[in-house]
């Protein structure tokens, strides 16, 4: 599920961890997915394998959208859905300000810590541009390159190392 994915963790506590895959677009627009949603040119992304019958959103309109939660500076999660539709209809939120996800990625208490201990993940700092300005197809390579050193080499390796 997570090969060459870039994830943003939005919640981590004693009960577990929640995050969203940032670089797996789905061939669908949000207004095609959700009934009674304003016409809106925002793509939908696969957030992860958990509860794929749910829709979540990350945005940069925390000052406009009540009930949203700032996960890193400049990136907010969720918020009042009716107000979101209103802001989209008024063009106060554009497709460049928000990203929608079907499902999410989740780990039970202690699971992610164990996976990190086994080297299953490469932690990196989040840059707001990764979410709103980077090309999702090259995001994983961009994040790895930005880490430098060995990670830059890994980012340039083909998906199948036998092609190298």
């Amino acid at each position: 599920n997570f090969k060459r994915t870039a994830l943003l963790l939005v919640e981590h506590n004693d009960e577990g961890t929640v995050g969203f895959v940032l670089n797996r677009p789905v061939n669908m627009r949000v207004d095609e997915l959700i009934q009674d949603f304003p016409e809106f040119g925002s793509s939908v992304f696969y957030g992860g394998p958990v509860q794929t019958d749910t829709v979540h959103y990350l945005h940069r309109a925390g000052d406009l959208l009540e009930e949203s939660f700032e996960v890193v500076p400049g990136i907010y999660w969720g918020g009042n859905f009716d107000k979101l539709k209103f802001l989209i209809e008024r063009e106060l939120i554009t497709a460049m300000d928000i990203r929608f996800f079907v499902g999410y990625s989740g780990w039970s208490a202690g699971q992610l810590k164990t996976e990190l201990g086994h080297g299953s993940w490469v932690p990196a700092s989040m840059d707001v541009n990764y979410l709103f300005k980077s090309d999702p197809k090259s995001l994983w390579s961009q994040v790895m390159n930005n880490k430098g050193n060995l990670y830059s080499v890994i980012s340039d390796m083909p998906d199948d190392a036998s092609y190298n």
Side-chain angles (χ1 to χ4, degrees):
N1 279 327
F2 297 109
K3 184 176 183 180
R4 293 186 179 223
T5 57
L7 284 108
L8 173 60
L9 301 182
V10 296
E11 185 174 44
H12 177 74
N13 57 40
D14 292 340
E15 296 175 22
T17 305
V18 173
F20 299 102
V21 175
L22 302 181
N23 60 331
R24 292 234 177 117
V26 177
N27 191 21
M28 180 178 284
R29 291 171 23 150
V30 67
D31 55 353
E32 297 169 332
L33 179 66
I34 302 173
Q35 282 186 333
D36 299 325
F37 200 84
E39 188 174 324
F40 194 56
S42 181
S43 297
V44 176
F45 286 73
Y46 172 75
V50 181
Q51 292 187 343
T52 56
D53 60 342
T54 61
V55 176
H56 306 267
Y57 42 98
L58 296 173
H59 56 88
R60 54 175 150 201
D63 54 337
L64 297 174
L65 193 55
E66 296 92 2
E67 302 168 25
S68 62
F69 174 74
E70 188 171 32
V71 294
V72 296
I75 299 176
Y76 298 82
W77 175 27
N80 183 291
F81 191 68
D82 289 328
K83 178 78 179 270
L84 172 66
K85 293 191 298 186
F86 173 83
L87 293 170
I88 288 171
E89 288 171 342
R90 301 299 185 277
E91 298 180 359
L92 295 171
I93 293 180
T94 68
M96 299 301 294
D97 299 318
I98 193 164
R99 183 161 301 168
F100 293 88
F101 301 89
V102 172
Y104 65 91
S105 301
W107 296 263
S108 60
Q111 182 182 1
L112 184 58
K113 183 177 181 180
T114 300
E115 291 179 10
L116 285 164
H118 289 258
S120 299
W121 296 99
V122 178
S125 297
M126 179 61 184
D127 182 320
V128 69
N129 292 317
Y130 290 158
L131 182 61
F132 298 115
K133 293 189 178 184
S134 294
D135 177 5
K137 293 176 186 166
S138 61
L139 180 58
W140 179 83
S141 292
Q142 180 184 358
V143 172
M144 296 296 279
N145 260 317
N146 288 348
K147 286 190 66 67
N149 298 325
L150 172 65
Y151 301 105
S152 294
V153 174
I154 293 170
S155 75
D156 290 333
M157 290 175 62
D159 194 30
D160 184 343
S162 66
Y163 293 144
N164 199 3

